[in-house]
């Protein structure tokens, strides 16, 4: 807070200064309350604001783009410099093979539209996963694309762990039947820190996140997802908080929510979690369309890691190879 001091009459100068001091203290207290409400932390120093989208995508590219555009405007108005969209943000199929028919290379018109959106709005976009055209007509890549605030593609990550699961009490999924698995771990430097880039089902494989933090120095982990209703109810929040705690990273998890069509329903509940495992961003309704907003505080990352230096205490791979039962 700042204010300008002008001259005051001598006989009231002392009381005037005291009143100004009381006013400054009162305003600073109000500011601290507002900051804690937004971030869960009493300091705003060295921080940047982010947004996590919650939405219900459908099999209509134009309708989904309109929703994304509206949410970008909301994020910019809230002061966010970076916005994360969920898996399948641009399209959710209603029948088998439909995703393959709309899959495009990253220089195609769909992604060009989102690049223009980032450039015009002057905000970074995390878009994952996108239906990127694969090496043949029978396969696509589930690709997490990062676009900077000038509209340039900064990086892409192709989902490594594919969802081939018979969900208890739910449907049977075979993502590998039409999706090529990725083979590269991806980290990207950005205004919100060093990013570890993942997609949905990756969340169940902690070794990927260990690699991102301890081998590649990630500070923020991105987990765009479309968890099923059954698996989301059981594990979504637990897994996200575990990844945050064990890596001492922020986690931004944008989620698909609600019924996309008669055959598919997603759990929702977009979350932003700090390195101590505290949820600092969440919508009041886990099925509504909107954004969760919070601040990435770099001093908190440093503080948590300094007070509990697990990176120094970890055993190298050679230790476990030689350890006997």
């Amino acid at each position: 807070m700042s204010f300008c001091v002008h001259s005051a009459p001598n006989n009231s100068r002392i009381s005037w200064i005291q009143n100004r001091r009381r006013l400054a203290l009162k305003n600073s207290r109000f500011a601290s309350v507002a900051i804690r409400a937004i971030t869960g932390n009493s300091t705003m120093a060295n921080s940047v604001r982010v947004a996590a989208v919650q939405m219900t995508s459908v099999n209509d590219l134009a309708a989904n783009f309109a929703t994304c555009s509206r949410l970008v405007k909301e994020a910019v108005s809230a002061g966010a410099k970076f916005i994360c969209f969920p898996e399948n943000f641009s399209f959710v199929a209603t029948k088998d093979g439909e995703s393959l028919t709309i899959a495009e290379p990253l220089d195609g018109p769909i992604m060009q539209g989102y690049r223009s959106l980032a450039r015009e709005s002057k905000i970074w976009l995390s878009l994952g996963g996108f239906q990127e055209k694969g090496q043949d007509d029978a396969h696509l890549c589930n690709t997490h694309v990062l676009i900077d605030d000038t509209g340039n593609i900064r990086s892409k990550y192709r989902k490594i762990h594919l969802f081939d699961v018979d969900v208890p009490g739910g449907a049977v999924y075979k993502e590998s039947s039409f999706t090529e698995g990725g083979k590269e771990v991806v980290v990207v430097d950005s205004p919100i820190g060093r990013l570890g880039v993942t997609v949905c089902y990756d969340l169940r494989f902690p070794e990927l996140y260990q690699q991102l933090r301890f081998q590649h120095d990630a500070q923020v982990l991105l987990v765009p997802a479309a968890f099923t209703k059954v698996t989301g109810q059981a594990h979504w929040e637990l897994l996200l908080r575990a990844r945050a705690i064990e890596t001492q990273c922020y986690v931004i998890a944008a989620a698909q929510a609600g019924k996309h069509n008669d055959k598919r329903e997603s759990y929702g509940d977009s979350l932003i979690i700090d390195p101590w495992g505290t949820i600092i961003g969440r919508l009041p309704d886990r099925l509504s369309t909107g954004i969760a907003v919070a601040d990435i505080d770099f001093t908190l990352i440093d503080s948590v890691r300094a007070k509990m230096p697990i990176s120094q205490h970890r055993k190298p791979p050679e230790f476990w190879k030689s350890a006997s039962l």
Side-chain angles (χ1 to χ4, degrees):
M1 176 181 180
S2 63
F3 54 86
C4 184
V5 177
H6 300 283
S7 60
N10 290 335
N11 60 0
S12 62
R13 184 170 181 79
I14 294 176
S15 61
W16 181 84
I17 292 173
Q18 290 173 338
N19 287 336
R20 293 297 292 186
R21 286 173 176 169
R22 281 196 293 268
L23 177 61
L25 178 61
K26 181 179 179 181
N27 286 343
S28 68
R29 285 171 179 166
F30 285 156
S32 295
V33 170
I35 290 167
R36 284 196 294 271
I38 294 172
T39 69
N41 194 301
S42 61
T43 180
M44 281 285 283
N46 201 23
S47 67
V48 62
R49 185 155 296 175
V50 300
V53 166
Q54 187 171 284
M55 65 186 294
T56 310
S57 297
V58 294
N59 66 332
D60 185 326
L61 291 164
N64 294 329
F65 183 77
T67 298
C68 292
S69 298
R70 175 172 61 83
L71 295 174
V72 164
K73 289 180 181 178
E74 290 183 16
V76 170
S77 296
K81 302 300 182 183
F82 193 105
I83 182 170
C84 299
F85 287 89
E87 185 180 29
N88 300 330
F89 65 97
S90 63
F91 190 85
V92 170
T94 58
K95 57 186 178 181
D96 292 344
E98 197 172 15
S99 291
L100 289 169
T101 64
I102 61 92
E104 287 186 356
L106 296 185
D107 59 358
I110 298 174
M111 191 55 62
Q112 288 293 342
Y114 286 92
R115 292 179 65 183
S116 295
L117 178 61
R119 181 173 59 253
E120 293 164 5
S121 304
K122 297 180 174 59
I123 190 171
W124 279 61
L125 305 183
S126 161
L127 304 171
F130 174 72
Q131 292 93 346
E132 181 190 9
K133 190 171 180 60
Q135 295 183 11
D136 58 62
D137 292 338
H139 293 85
L140 54 77
C141 296
N142 190 338
T143 304
H144 187 163
V145 183
L146 289 171
I147 302 174
D148 68 19
D149 54 3
T150 64
N152 292 318
I153 294 177
R154 282 297 186 95
S155 188
K156 62 179 183 291
Y157 162 79
R158 294 184 175 118
K159 185 179 180 183
I160 291 174
H161 301 98
L162 302 182
F163 193 56
D164 291 356
V165 177
D166 184 351
V167 177
V172 177
Y173 296 85
K174 190 74 172 176
E175 188 176 16
S176 65
S177 67
F178 63 92
T179 305
E180 300 171 9
K183 298 179 180 178
E184 296 180 348
V185 174
V186 174
V187 292
V188 183
D189 290 318
S190 79
I192 69 164
R194 191 162 174 82
L195 307 174
V197 190
T198 71
V199 176
C200 199
Y201 190 50
D202 286 331
L203 182 61
R204 293 184 181 273
F205 302 89
E207 58 271 20
L208 171 59
Y209 297 87
Q210 300 285 310
Q211 284 279 326
L212 290 168
R213 160 69 208 281
F214 298 109
Q215 301 301 319
H216 301 286
D217 301 318
Q219 296 170 299
V220 180
L221 304 173
L222 306 181
V223 191
F227 258 50
T228 71
K229 182 179 179 181
V230 173
T231 59
Q233 286 175 335
H235 303 143
W236 173 244
E237 181 181 325
L238 289 171
L239 288 169
L240 290 167
R241 294 183 71 186
R243 296 298 88 87
I245 293 166
E246 68 196 12
T247 63
Q248 299 174 319
C249 290
Y250 279 92
V251 171
I252 307 175
Q256 290 284 351
K259 283 199 168 187
H260 308 279
N261 51 60
D262 293 338
K263 298 179 180 179
R264 184 166 178 179
E265 183 176 2
S266 295
Y267 178 68
D269 200 18
S270 292
L271 297 173
I272 305 172
I273 303 169
D274 76 13
W276 193 243
T278 303
I279 296 171
I280 59 171
R282 181 181 229 162
L283 275 76
D285 179 355
R286 69 172 177 84
L287 297 177
S288 64
T289 294
I291 57 172
V293 177
D295 293 300
I296 302 297
D297 185 348
F298 301 112
T299 60
L300 179 61
I301 298 174
D302 295 339
S303 175
V304 169
R305 294 180 179 184
K307 291 175 181 178
M308 191 173 291
I310 60 175
S311 62
Q312 299 174 27
H313 300 156
R314 294 178 76 247
K315 304 302 181 186
E318 294 75 20
F319 173 87
W320 299 112
K321 290 177 182 178
S322 61
S324 58
L325 296 175

